[in-house]
Structure formats: structure tokens, C-alpha cells
């Protein structure tokens, strides 16, 4: 299934990611539309996230083994770009893990909060990796990485909108995670990308069927 970005979510991403390049403007009006539009947001699947199997979840006492394996893969990665790409992959996996925890424990606030916190830590590590890159999207490898980053950011935001509808017990925590992602990605794109390229990337996301 292809990702379907609602008008409200698309506007949300545009405002968040293009903010550094735009003049200040009023954003109150779109909030009303957003509240109304979320009820029709289609569900993000594991296939949409590119994850076939979630494996160990953050609620499992042996989850540290999975994290240890990730650290080893980062250590042997050949370049900063490959390490950043791996960090993006791991953060995406953590979004899928959060979705799985929500399916398995829909009423367990503690389990949901643990999965959300795990995702947030992934975003923090991803941000550090990306901000450490010394080149920009003029490098084809970074350009491809930013393409994937834009796609994943949109899908994660859509997933979080869906989860907020279904799991209001952690609605505030999910909203804070969305803010964290937007803040991190805004700074990353501001550092690594050009305005026109970012606009092209967002238009691709918004125009997907």
C-alpha cells in the first residue's frame, strides 16, 4: 500500500520543514482542519515502513541484545554516510516496533511509553549522525539519504497521527515525539539541503497516490 498523505499532514510537514526558509506567518487556521482530517488518516502498515519482521520489542527484557547488534553494525560501517543511513534504518525499525507494541498492548500505558521513549532515543542518535555529516545534498549519496529521510519522516508522522487516535492514553507523549522529529529534521535539512531540493522532495511526498 502506498502512503497517503492528507492535506492537513502535508501542510504540517511543509510548515515544519520549510520554516527556516520562510517568513513568519499565521498557522492557526490549519489547526482546525488538522483536527477534523485525522479521522480519515489511513493506517500505516509494516510494509509501508519497509519492515517485514519487528523481532524483539522494547518491552522484551532481552531487547538490549538487539541494540548491541545495532551498535556493532554501526562500528563496522565504512563511512559517516553509511552510519547515518544505518541510524535512519534503526529509527525506522523503532517506529515499526512502536506500532507492534501498540498492537500487542493497546491499553498498557507503560509499554507504550517505553516504546515511544525508545523511538525518541533513536531520533536523537539519528540527528547527531546527520548533523555530523560534512557534505551537503550536492553529494549524490547524501541526496539519496535525504530522499529516504523525507519519506520516512512523512510515514512516521502519519503513523503517529494514527496512534494518537487509537491510543489517547499516550497522546501527549506521541505529540511530543512528533515535535521532536520536526525540530530535528528541520535543523538537518537546513544544514544539508537546498531550499529548492527540499521543496521537490516534499512535493513528491504530497503527490503520492
Amino acid at each position: 500500500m502506498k502512503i497517503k498523505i492528507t492535506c492537513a499532514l502535508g501542510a504540517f510537514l511543509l510548515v515544519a520543514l520549510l520554516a527556516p526558509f520562510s517568513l513568519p506567518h499565521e498557522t492557526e487556521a490549519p489547526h482546525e482542519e488538522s483536527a477534523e482530517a485525522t479521522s480519515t488518516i489511513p493506517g500505516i502498515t509494516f510494509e509501508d515502513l519497509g519492515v517485514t519482521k519487528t523481532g524483539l520489542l522494547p518491552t522484551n527484557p532481552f531487547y538490549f541484545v538487539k541494540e548491541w547488534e545495532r551498535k556493532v553494525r554501526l562500528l563496522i560501517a565504512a563511512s559517516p554516510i553509511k552510519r547515518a543511513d544505518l541510524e535512519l534504518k534503526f529509527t525506522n525499525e523503532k517506529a515499526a516496533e512502536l506500532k507492534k507494541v501498540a498492537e500487542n498492548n493497546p491499553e498498557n500505558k507503560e509499554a507504550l511509553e517505553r516504546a515511544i521513549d525508545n523511538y525518541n532515543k533513536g531520533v536523537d542518535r539519528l540527528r547527531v549522525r546527520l548533523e555530523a555529516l560534512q557534505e551537503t545534498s550536492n553529494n549524490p549519496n547524501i541526496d539519496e539519504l535525504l530522499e529516504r529521510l523525507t519519506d520516512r519522516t512523512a510515514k512516521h508522522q502519519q503513523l503517529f497521527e494514527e496512534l494518537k487516535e487509537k491510543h489517547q492514553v499516550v497522546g501527549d507523549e506521541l505529540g511530543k515525539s512528533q515535535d521532536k522529529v520536526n525540530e530535528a529534521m528541520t535543523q538537518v535539512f537546513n544544514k544539508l539541503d537546498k531550499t529548492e531540493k527540499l521543496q521537490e522532495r516534499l512535493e513528491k511526498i504530497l503527490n503520492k497516490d
Side-chain angles (χ1 to χ4, degrees):
M1 156 180 151
K2 290 184 178 180
I3 182 173
K4 294 182 183 292
I5 302 294
T6 64
C7 291
L9 184 56
F12 184 54
L13 287 169
L14 282 168
V15 170
L17 296 179
L18 291 176
F21 310 111
S22 305
L23 292 174
H25 57 281
E26 291 295 327
T27 58
E28 292 299 322
H31 290 316
E32 296 180 3
E33 180 185 356
S34 176
E36 182 177 344
T38 52
S39 62
T40 60
I41 290 174
I44 283 288
T45 67
F46 293 108
E47 181 182 6
D48 293 328
L49 296 171
V51 175
T52 56
K53 185 178 180 181
T54 55
L56 290 174
L57 300 175
T59 50
N60 189 301
F62 295 102
Y63 185 76
F64 71 91
V65 175
K66 191 174 186 178
E67 289 284 73
W68 181 82
E69 290 175 349
R70 286 169 171 158
K71 289 179 181 178
V72 171
R73 291 180 64 185
L74 286 166
L75 284 172
I76 63 178
S79 69
I81 294 177
K82 289 188 179 297
R83 285 191 285 275
D85 202 19
L86 269 177
E87 207 74 76
L88 174 58
K89 181 180 185 297
F90 298 153
T91 304
N92 186 63
E93 289 175 354
K94 291 182 179 189
E97 291 166 2
L98 170 57
K99 176 177 170 60
K100 189 67 173 179
V101 169
E103 290 177 356
N104 292 347
N105 306 275
E107 305 300 328
N108 189 329
K109 184 177 180 182
E110 182 179 353
L112 290 167
E113 287 179 339
R114 187 179 304 174
I116 293 169
D117 181 63
N118 187 57
Y119 174 83
N120 290 341
K121 289 176 180 176
V123 171
D124 288 336
R125 286 193 286 268
L126 174 60
R127 176 179 184 170
V128 170
R129 293 283 183 189
L130 291 168
E131 290 184 337
L133 294 175
Q134 298 301 310
E135 299 179 78
T136 68
S137 57
N138 290 327
N139 180 324
N141 293 324
I142 290 184
D143 188 55
E144 291 177 8
L145 173 60
L146 293 178
E147 284 285 334
R148 290 190 289 276
L149 180 64
T150 306
D151 178 74
R152 294 309 185 199
T153 299
K155 288 176 179 176
H156 292 185
Q157 288 290 359
Q158 187 172 336
L159 172 63
F160 274 57
E161 287 296 315
E162 176 191 352
L163 293 174
K164 283 197 297 186
E165 282 188 2
K166 296 179 179 179
H167 308 281
Q168 296 182 9
V169 67
V170 288
D172 289 344
E173 289 84 350
L174 290 166
K176 289 176 182 177
S177 289
Q178 286 184 295
D179 291 341
K180 173 186 281 289
V181 172
N182 284 331
E183 179 185 355
M185 295 308 104
T186 296
Q187 293 192 21
V188 165
F189 279 105
N190 190 31
K191 179 179 186 292
L192 300 179
D193 214 5
K194 293 182 178 180
T195 308
E196 59 271 19
K197 281 195 173 183
L198 177 55
Q199 290 172 334
E200 289 175 7
R201 298 183 209 285
L202 291 171
E203 285 172 4
K204 286 181 185 178
I205 294 294
L206 296 173
N207 291 330
K208 282 187 178 181
D209 294 331

